Amino acid sequence: MSSNSLTLAPAPPSEAAEQVRLEVRQFLAEELAAGTFSTHVDTWLSGVDPEFSRKLGARGWLGMTWPRQYGGHERTAMERYAVTEELLAAGAPVAAHWIADRQSGPNLLRYGTEEQRKDILPRIAAGECYFVIGMSEPDSGSDLASIRTRATRDGDGDFVVNGAKVWTSNAHHSHYGIVLVRTGPPGEGPRGKHQGLTQLLVDLSLPGITINPIRILDGGHHFNEVVFDDVVVPAGMLLGTEGAGWHQVTAELAFERSGPERFLSTWPLLAEFGRRAAATGDPAQLATLGRLSARALALRQLSLRIAAALDRGELPDIPAALVKDVGTTFEQDVVDEVRRVVDVVPSLDSPDPLGRALAEAQLHAPGYTLRGGTNEILRGIVARGLGLR
Amino acid sequence: MSDQDLVVETVRDVLAGHEPLLLSAERPWDEGLWTALAEAGLTGVGLPEEAGGSGGELADAVAVVRTLAAGAGAVPVAEQLLVAAPALLAADLDLPAPEEPLTIAVDGAVTAEPSDDGDGPGRFTLTGTAVDVPWAGVARHVAVLATPPAGIEGAVLAVVDTAGLDASRAVNLAGEPRGSLVLDGVGVPGALLGPAQAGMVRARYALARAVQISAALEQVLAWTVQYAGERVQFGRPLGKFQAIQMELAQMAGEVTSTAALVDAAVQALDRGEDTVVLAAAAAKVRAGAAVEVVAKLAHQVHGAIGFTQEYRLHHLTRRCWSWRDEGGTELAWSRTLGAGLVAAGGDDLWPALTRVV
Ligand SMILES: Cc1cc2nc3c(=O)[nH]c(=O)nc-3n(C[C@H](O)[C@H](O)[C@H](O)COP(=O)(O)OP(=O)(O)OC[C@H]3O[C@@H](n4cnc5c(N)ncnc54)[C@H](O)[C@@H]3O)c2cc1C
């Protein structure tokens, strides 16, 4: 297989990463002891806590890889990887800043104007400025290029936006969205609809924007519908190049798909199960723990390799798709495998922390293999890496 | 070209003249392949020259084993290079000549008593039956892990010359010999191993099988992708159908995950880390899980052609089905891993996991 684009070079161990890992672990232990947060499943969707985000910013754990001039810390992707892993494993409340730190910031670094970067990046790195992904629409999911939200230029050259985005995670807590809009007609041919798309940096407090909550299965409000009614977005808020939106979005998705959040969403459940298996010493539980841990270990190796590739300046989009497919399948399997070997009824009100974690993980489970691109779409990308398309 | 590429190239050259064999009672191994490998010095790769080996690193030995596994070479090279010979070296025991096949026996009921048969210290008398011995009846020497005398912890590792010994014939799903060896008070050289050293021998065996599985599954994926590109149905190659693309992508996910973890475990072994047993356990378990998916889908994509003995696919899938439970079953290694990760307490799972590899 060495000849195909799925293989990545091994990640050399990084002492700096192990150092920062221990610092984060220490910090989290103190915060947990002080009761500033409690562990939950899937907290990079549901754990919104601006105060906590600011604390991370103050410690230099946001915008870690960005240049200092934009508030970053010029650390390696491997160090950032260690920080994100520790936060996710502890089920810490990281949802407020997650999208901004993971993908909107890097997107601004690549495509933003100097003014946009100077204005926004330091605030993201401080844990004070949050973003939403404005891609999906009611009729455009996997077929993202079919979006209908439009922007036309007015007499001043500003963009007037009309349409609706949906599933936008945490729009009700966020300051900006990077919104994909149609600014020009599609071209000819099967890939023609990739033309005429543009990314806009939209201040979510602008007049004409309505944010309507959509509740997910556990009753939580994380999703939204965001409606744009003649919203005037200043010309200076164009992100990158007009008409190059498809290319920009594809690059953004490589960041979106490559991190440890793609296999650690249900880690807090596995951690709780680990406590149970250790307490009971039950051979079936220990075997299940071992099987799941072996999968997690393999995913870590892959994800670390991607971080190392990012440090080398590569954009490993195909391996990232593979990891997200394997990783999110694992996240769901954790729920199934654990419930097979424990005598616990899942309930959000369970007095047993394992029952509560099972309930949270189960009710969030359908989302893992959808968000950021469905596993079917990701497998199509992997198939391309295998030379089949 | 790196040293490793050179080693791989040489093994491939040797393999080129040896189609995978259908093993039978008359042909329990590929003796011709062994002879060719031995003549090229490839049965001593990774073993120090002072001990009679060909020199080189662990990574070179792994490269030899991988290439042979992918080629379904019916020879005890994995047992010799990755398990038995390193175990003997670590125990300061003399290595049999690498040109003579050496295997490992870790299971069964064999007891070792110190013997004073006049040949000096470091000699033991072995009694009992070693079971599930890979290449029993084929290998000239067996490194036997035996139960030590009462009151002593750990194990005795002893080298048995099989000339004149009876081996019962049993085979795994691919027809590879996995017989028993009856040891009726034979006096042999040996050494006492502590529990940790004995555990290392078993871990090496498990890791060797994981290395073989990983290489074989990569080859199975490559064959299946190739086949899907050639076989035409409904006027299109199979690989153009989305359903088939999904299956191949899933296979790739399993193969890539396994390779990454097996690599990491081999590196942990090379660095001599104390987490090697857990790393090997994880690699073995992950590889076994990959076999479930990859072998099943490979046969599905190949259709009935892959269900026949004429076609090459089974040489690898049958081996993988067996290898995942050899050197300790998948269940046993899953438990070892699970228990090991929470050995310091249930709260320690995550920190323990980040230490394994
Ligand atoms: C928790 C969560 C958070 C999200 N956050 C955001 C966000 O912040 N911003 C945002 O823009 N979006 C967000 N999304 C939306 C997400 O990106 C979409 O759900 C995703 O792109 C899939 O689109 P869809 O749900 O419309 O499904 P559809 O595209 O309608 O697909 C339905 C099913 O059909 C399959 N399918 C579709 N097309 C094909 C094809 N060509 N071949 C094979 N199978 C196909 C899919 O794989 C899926 O199984 C979020 C989703 C979730 C679950």
Side-chain angles (χ1 to χ4, degrees):
Chain A
M1 260 223 338
S2 43
S3 58
N4 73 46
S5 50
L6 302 179
T7 313
L8 287 164
S14 156
E15 254 173 54
E18 288 322 293
Q19 181 58 37
V20 71
R21 177 187 295 287
L22 297 180
E23 288 164 22
V24 178
R25 219 172 256 179
Q26 175 76 25
F27 163 80
L28 288 169
E30 285 164 14
E31 295 291 313
L32 267 173
T36 55
F37 77 93
S38 59
T39 297
H40 290 280
V41 163
D42 200 16
T43 45
W44 64 274
L45 176 74
S46 54
V48 174
D49 182 347
E51 190 50 42
F52 191 83
S53 293
R54 278 192 285 270
K55 276 186 194 169
L56 296 180
R59 297 208 169 222
W61 293 336
L62 301 181
M64 282 180 75
T65 61
W66 310 346
R68 280 184 201 285
Q69 69 199 99
Y70 306 121
H73 304 280
E74 302 188 359
R75 303 186 66 166
T76 61
M78 297 293 275
E79 288 167 273
R80 177 177 185 275
Y81 178 91
V83 172
T84 52
E85 244 192 4
E86 290 301 315
L87 293 169
L88 294 163
V94 293
H97 66 266
W98 197 261
I99 305 296
D101 174 69
R102 176 185 72 188
Q103 73 192 78
S104 313
N107 212 18
L108 283 171
L109 265 180
R110 284 168 77 93
Y111 300 113
T113 63
E114 190 57 18
E115 208 179 325
Q116 289 166 351
R117 295 176 183 177
K118 280 242 141 72
D119 175 28
I120 294 174
L121 291 177
R123 287 192 278 145
I124 297 181
E128 288 174 348
C129 177
Y130 315 134
F131 269 68
V132 301
I133 307 164
M135 294 189 193
S136 305
E137 296 189 6
D139 296 322
S140 302
S142 301
D143 186 11
L144 185 59
S146 69
I147 56 153
R148 291 201 298 235
T149 297
R150 307 190 53 86
T152 49
R153 297 269 196 174
D154 67 10
D156 304 328
D158 296 337
F159 295 92
V160 181
V161 181
N162 280 288
K165 292 290 170 182
V166 79
W167 318 132
T168 41
S169 304
N170 290 314
H172 52 308
H173 296 297
S174 297
H175 306 95
Y176 293 94
I178 294 183
V179 180
L180 186 69
V181 295
R182 185 156 280 292
T183 48
E188 298 288 314
R191 300 203 186 280
K193 64 186 177 182
H194 296 167
Q195 293 169 26
L197 297 173
T198 298
Q199 283 191 309
L200 296 178
L201 196 55
V202 179
D203 180 338
L204 293 175
S205 67
L206 287 175
I209 295 182
T210 318
I211 297 174
N212 301 313
I214 301 174
R215 294 194 174 272
I216 65 166
L217 303 184
D218 67 355
H221 170 204
H222 318 295
F223 269 171
N224 301 276
E225 177 197 41
V226 182
V227 182
F228 301 85
D229 185 11
D230 281 336
V231 177
V232 180
V233 176
M237 297 301 258
L238 168 69
L239 180 64
T241 310
E242 190 170 344
W246 185 255
H247 175 75
Q248 292 176 204
V249 155
T250 331
E252 183 180 335
L253 285 171
F255 282 102
E256 173 164 1
R257 288 172 178 160
S258 57
E261 68 267 41
R262 298 310 183 173
F263 64 94
L264 290 178
S265 304
T266 50
W267 184 268
L269 166 60
L270 197 53
E272 205 50 60
F273 174 60
R275 283 183 197 104
R276 186 63 42 96
T280 62
D282 177 69
Q285 291 180 0
L286 289 171
T288 296
L289 183 65
R291 265 201 307 277
L292 290 169
S293 300
R295 289 171 68 182
L297 280 161
L299 281 158
R300 284 194 77 229
Q301 289 306 312
L302 290 180
S303 204
L304 279 162
R305 287 175 178 212
I306 288 181
L310 290 173
D311 273 337
R312 294 193 300 268
E314 298 164 21
L315 199 63
D317 51 341
I318 291 175
L322 181 142
V323 176
K324 186 181 179 290
D325 173 30
V326 182
T328 57
T329 303
F330 168 73
E331 290 180 331
Q332 287 181 336
D333 287 352
V334 168
V335 181
D336 297 338
E337 298 247 353
V338 168
R339 63 167 287 284
R340 272 188 212 133
V341 290
V342 295
D343 242 335
V344 173
V345 177
S347 161
L348 294 173
D349 300 320
S350 177
D352 179 346
L354 186 56
R356 202 196 69 211
L358 258 178
E360 290 178 355
Q362 183 66 76
L363 292 172
H364 280 231
Y368 311 144
T369 50
L370 294 174
R371 56 184 170 193
T374 70
N375 290 38
E376 290 73 21
I377 295 298
L378 297 168
R379 286 178 193 168
I381 296 172
V382 173
R384 180 144 45 79
L386 290 170
L388 294 163
R389 320 166 37 147
Chain B
M1 210 189 260
S2 75
D3 285 358
Q4 239 147 294
D5 291 339
L6 201 68
V7 168
V8 169
E9 195 90 332
T10 319
V11 179
R12 286 215 179 111
D13 283 349
V14 173
L15 265 176
H18 296 263
E19 282 295 301
L21 287 186
L22 263 184
L23 299 178
S24 63
E26 295 70 45
R27 279 220 296 196
W29 72 312
D30 194 339
E31 196 171 354
L33 175 60
W34 176 272
T35 309
L37 291 167
E39 279 169 1
L42 291 164
T43 55
V45 171
L47 307 176
E49 288 172 25
E50 319 71 274
S54 316
E57 315 279 316
L58 173 66
D60 302 319
V62 166
V64 172
V65 170
R66 291 186 66 89
T67 314
L68 286 168
V75 284
V77 170
E79 289 79 357
Q80 171 156 321
L81 294 189
L82 298 187
V83 195
L88 295 181
L89 286 171
D92 267 336
L93 291 166
D94 284 341
L95 223 52
E99 297 78 36
E100 293 179 349
L102 165 71
T103 190
I104 182 85
V106 299
D107 291 316
V110 180
T111 54
E113 292 294 336
S115 69
D116 39 13
D117 52 10
D119 279 357
R123 290 198 59 91
F124 293 83
T125 304
L126 301 190
T127 310
T129 305
V131 302
D132 298 330
V133 182
W135 310 103
V138 164
R140 174 67 198 272
H141 297 276
V142 186
V144 177
L145 206 55
T147 310
I152 299 181
E153 278 191 70
V156 166
L157 185 69
V159 200
V160 177
D161 184 333
T162 62
L165 286 182
D166 274 345
S168 78
R169 183 174 154 80
V171 294
N172 70 8
L173 298 175
E176 294 179 323
R178 298 294 185 257
S180 312
L181 207 61
V182 179
L183 300 160
D184 190 9
V186 290
V188 292
L192 260 176
L193 305 187
Q197 289 169 295
M200 270 299 292
V201 178
R202 294 177 191 278
R204 276 183 165 278
Y205 187 6
L207 185 54
R209 287 289 183 257
V211 166
Q212 290 177 290
I213 291 173
S214 172
L217 292 184
E218 283 191 5
Q219 183 63 68
V220 166
L221 173 64
W223 280 345
T224 310
V225 169
Q226 186 194 346
Y227 183 80
E230 290 165 359
R231 172 85 171 167
V232 173
Q233 293 293 298
F234 302 100
R236 297 199 266 169
L238 296 177
K240 293 290 169 200
F241 292 100
Q242 196 185 32
I244 301 294
Q245 291 179 355
M246 300 285 112
E247 295 187 337
L248 292 170
Q250 229 184 317
M251 291 168 69
E254 295 297 308
V255 166
T256 311
S257 303
T258 299
L261 184 55
V262 169
D263 257 18
V266 166
Q267 281 167 21
L269 175 65
D270 208 13
R271 290 194 294 261
E273 281 164 17
D274 54 8
T275 56
V276 167
V277 173
L278 291 187
K284 180 82 184 332
V285 171
R286 184 65 189 87
V291 172
E292 288 176 18
V293 177
V294 176
K296 182 167 59 188
L297 292 178
H299 278 287
Q300 188 68 15
V301 172
H302 276 88
I305 285 172
F307 192 48
T308 64
Q309 282 199 342
E310 286 86 63
Y311 193 78
R312 60 189 177 182
L313 183 62
H314 69 96
H315 287 297
L316 294 184
T317 53
R318 287 194 294 148
R319 280 178 168 78
C320 286
W321 285 325
S322 279
W323 288 345
R324 62 183 172 177
D325 289 316
E326 292 177 2
T329 61
E330 202 171 313
L331 179 62
W333 281 117
S334 302
R335 271 194 219 118
T336 301
L337 178 59
L341 287 170
V342 293
D347 289 339
D348 198 46
L349 180 63
W350 175 253
L353 192 99
T354 57
R355 280 193 300 267
V356 172
V357 281

